[in-house]
Amino acid sequence: MNKKTLVVLGGFILIVAVIQMFERGDTRVADAEIGAPLLPGLAEALDTVEQVSVSSAEGSFTLAREDAGWGIVERGYYPVDFLDLTTLTTSLAEAKYVERKTTRAENLRRMGLEDVTAIGSTSVLVELSGGEQSWSVLLGDRASARTGQYARFPPETQVWQINKYVAVDRNPVDWLEQTIINIESDRVIRVVVDHSDGERLELSKEDGTFALPDLAEGEELKYSSVASEPSRALVNMRLTDVISGAELDWAEPVVSQYYCADGLIVTVEAIESEGKHYVRLGAGLDDSVADVAAEVQAEAAEIEARSDRVFEVAQYTYKDVSKRRADLLKAPPAEDADVAGE
């Protein structure tokens, strides 16, 4: 093989190698983006962000800022968990390019970076805006055998590895403030539960302990502290969703009222519909309590301001606010079979 042939062959091999390096994003190729912010300018503009949209195969929703704070548009601007929101925006602002990866569209699926509209897509598109600026990025799987994550900017097929994994909840419910109300049980001195069939359960605290009045002969509490359970119904009450409630029938709810020693009265209406459970809350002040503190008045006003909200709750929460007398008593002993047969 002569010298000229070797030169031509060597040049051909070099060209093929360079093409392959670019196709697979070989890090030996100098890249100005490496180490640079994934979303330029976001870190400096975090305080100006007014909207964050999340889209995935499960659907889309938007977090937006109003005068009252951040809320989810599709949930009537119900408040979001601000810590979760700032964790997301800060993570995106801190994300940096680590390595240029493939540009081949056929590789996107195995990196979790197909378009969110693709069947079986696992990617999530995050879009942020504020003022005259906007940012968007499609996030995929964790980087294999390394820290970080794969990302790209549709419609481009260029995949990048970034320096951290940015977790994004795809269900809007996961972004909501989960606690509906939190009233410590030691504040509650009286509980009244009214059922639509006319049954009323009324419990009052005497000498620091709740008691079930008028126990009939043969009636026995399940255990000594069972009468205190209804007073704990408002401790860290949590939601499973927030809905409009317009389609629900509230004609015959269970109505429970919780009287606090400091003058706060909380009212909970509860219904069951098609296997799901819903509550709505209101609040007022006890006229029999003199000089109710300003903070208690503000607390009542805050609860009452959300009285138009309907919360879906877990079944156990519904049971907590809809107790009946029988729920607190031991079941009567079964009759002896021989006696029952006589």
Side-chain angles (χ1 to χ4, degrees), residues 23-250:
E23 283 185 342
R24 69 174 183 262
D26 198 304
T27 55
R28 288 172 292 180
V29 178
D31 210 323
E33 284 88 349
I34 302 305
L38 178 70
L39 302 177
L42 177 58
E44 296 76 21
L46 280 177
D47 290 341
T48 69
V49 173
E50 297 176 342
Q51 187 168 294
V52 178
S53 296
V54 177
S55 302
S56 68
E58 286 85 356
S60 302
F61 57 92
T62 300
L63 289 67
R65 180 162 58 180
E66 290 189 309
D67 292 339
W70 282 85
I72 295 185
V73 175
E74 293 77 7
R75 294 298 188 276
Y77 287 90
Y78 190 80
V80 304
D81 186 313
F82 189 66
L83 177 60
D84 289 345
L85 175 63
T86 55
T87 298
L88 172 64
T89 56
T90 301
S91 294
L92 288 171
E94 294 174 349
K96 291 179 173 58
Y97 292 100
V98 170
E99 184 178 350
R100 183 189 294 269
K101 309 300 284 187
T102 184
T103 60
R104 293 183 175 179
E106 62 267 27
N107 291 335
L108 297 180
R109 183 177 184 83
R110 66 181 178 83
M111 304 176 93
L113 282 172
E114 285 190 302
D115 289 340
V116 296
T117 55
I119 296 175
S121 171
T122 59
S123 65
V124 58
L125 178 67
V126 182
E127 301 170 281
L128 308 93
S129 62
E132 298 181 354
Q133 300 185 81
S134 62
W135 304 263
S136 67
V137 62
L138 189 70
L139 299 170
D141 293 346
R142 289 183 184 272
S144 57
R146 301 186 187 186
T147 59
Q149 187 175 19
Y150 299 126
R152 70 180 178 95
F153 301 97
E156 298 176 11
T157 58
Q158 174 65 64
V159 176
W160 294 91
Q161 181 182 328
I162 60 176
N163 64 327
K164 58 171 54 193
Y165 182 79
V166 182
V168 185
D169 288 320
R170 295 139 193 262
N171 186 340
V173 173
D174 294 332
W175 289 92
L176 299 173
E177 283 187 1
Q178 299 294 304
T179 300
I180 303 171
I181 191 170
N182 186 20
I183 304 293
E184 293 299 330
S185 59
D186 58 5
R187 292 176 61 186
V188 180
I189 58 173
R190 182 170 173 241
V191 179
V192 180
V193 183
D194 287 306
H195 292 265
S196 59
D197 60 6
E199 180 181 344
R200 166 173 280 202
L201 173 65
E202 187 166 358
L203 302 165
S204 296
K205 185 181 286 186
E206 299 176 3
D207 299 324
T209 304
F210 278 91
L212 182 64
D214 304 323
L215 280 174
E217 184 178 351
E219 287 186 328
E220 186 180 355
L221 295 178
K222 285 183 176 179
Y223 44 89
S224 60
S225 62
V226 69
S228 298
E229 284 191 353
S231 69
R232 304 188 191 107
L234 303 183
V235 177
N236 196 28
M237 181 187 286
R238 298 174 70 82
L239 58 82
T240 58
D241 205 349
V242 180
I243 67 170
S244 69
E247 70 281 5
L248 297 174
D249 182 3
W250 289 90

Side-chain angles (χ1 to χ4, degrees), residues 294-308:
E295 58 266 27
V296 175
Q297 296 181 42
E299 183 180 19
E302 182 181 352
I303 297 169
E304 183 62 24
R306 295 188 296 162
S307 60
D308 60 335

Side-chain angles (χ1 to χ4, degrees), residues 227-295:
S228 298
E229 284 191 353
S231 69
R232 304 188 191 107
L234 303 183
V235 177
N236 196 28
M237 181 187 286
R238 298 174 70 82
L239 58 82
T240 58
D241 205 349
V242 180
I243 67 170
S244 69
E247 70 281 5
L248 297 174
D249 182 3
W250 289 90
E252 296 183 341
V254 178
V255 181
S256 53
Q257 290 188 298
Y258 303 84
Y259 293 78
C260 298
D262 52 25
L264 176 68
I265 303 174
V266 177
T267 300
V268 180
E269 294 180 284
I271 62 172
E272 182 176 5
S273 178
E274 297 182 355
K276 294 185 177 182
H277 305 84
Y278 305 94
V279 300
R280 57 187 184 186
L281 280 64
L285 300 175
D286 190 342
D287 293 336
S288 67
V289 177
D291 301 322
V292 175
E295 58 266 27

